[in-house]
């Protein structure tokens, strides 16, 4: 198979993975709906950057290190789960607070905070690097051509940032925002419960592999 065909196959698999609901979807949709469209796009870029970091690490062979040192993988899973649970607690605690949303960004640092929140959320799940490594191991040739090494991080960024930009665009529209403001308390508590459940699941998964 040509380099182009291999790259397309990997990207197609990543698209399916990116579209699967998870903490990344919860974070980007909530940022877009509760802050601004620009914040949503900043969060999408954060997801793309996190995907690139994992892709580069997978290409560099970090997964071999994680498989050799089980304690390191367990530590990463527990730390990632703790971060997701921290986000969940903050969402739950702020559920009853009134909120005014606008596409006008009054705080220039807000998009950067949204970017960092999304980036850390993406990096909080070390299973993602295992997914990348599995796809690369299954589809890449034994000797990876230089053009593929260069193309893959760009492709990963396009998939992750592209999909979550669509999510940000959809959830920052007027109707979803009106629905959110009407039922903010329950929506935030549901989002917090989901994030907390995902965080606890990641922590328990790490503890069970010790």
């Amino acid at each position: 198979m040509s380099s182009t065909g291999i790259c397309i196959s990997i990207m197609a698999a990543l698209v399916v993975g990116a579209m699967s609901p998870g903490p990344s979807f919860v974070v980007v949709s909530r940022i877009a709906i509760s802050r601004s469209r620009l914040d949503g796009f900043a969060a999408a870029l954060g997801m793309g950057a996190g995907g690139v970091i994992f892709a580069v690490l997978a290409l560099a062979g970090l997964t071999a290190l994680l498989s050799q040192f089980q304690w390191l993988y367990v530590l990463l899973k527990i730390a990632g789960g703790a971060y997701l649970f921290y986000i969940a607690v903050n969402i739950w605690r702020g559920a009853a607070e009134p909120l005014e949303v606008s596409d006008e960004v009054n705080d220039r640092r807000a998009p950067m905070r949204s970017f960092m929140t999304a980036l850390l959320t993406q990096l909080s799940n070390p299973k993602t690097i295992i997914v990348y490594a599995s796809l690369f191991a299954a589809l890449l040739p034994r000797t990876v051509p230089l053009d593929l090494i260069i193309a893959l991080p760009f492709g990963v960024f396009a998939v992750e940032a592209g999909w979550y930009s669509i999510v940000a665009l959809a959830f920052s529209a007027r109707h979803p925002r009106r629905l959110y403001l009407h039922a903010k308390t329950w929506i935030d508590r549901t989002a917090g419960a989901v994030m907390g459940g995902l965080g606890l699941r990641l922590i328990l998964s790490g503890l069970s592999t010790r």
Side-chain angles (χ1 to χ4, degrees), residues 23-24 27 43 45-58 62 66 73 75-84 87 115-130 132 156 160 202:
S24 298
V27 165
L45 293 178
M47 292 299 173
V52 169
I53 291 173
F54 273 145
V56 170
L57 291 177
L62 179 63
L66 293 178
Y73 183 52
L75 180 63
L76 289 174
K77 291 177 77 171
I78 294 175
Y83 177 71
L84 292 182
I87 294 179
F115 174 90
M116 291 304 302
T117 297
L119 174 62
L120 292 174
T121 300
Q122 180 79 301
L123 296 179
S124 68
N125 189 357
K127 288 184 178 180
T128 305
I129 192 175
I130 304 299
Y132 282 129
V156 167
E160 296 282 355
L202 194 56

Side-chain angles (χ1 to χ4, degrees), residues 61-73 130:
L62 179 63
T63 47
L65 181 65
L66 293 178
S67 63
Q68 184 175 359
F69 297 98
Q70 184 72 8
W71 64 268
L72 179 59
Y73 183 52
I130 304 299

Side-chain angles (χ1 to χ4, degrees), residues 105-112:
V105 181
N106 298 318
D107 185 353
R108 294 182 179 181
R109 294 173 296 178
M112 180 55 67

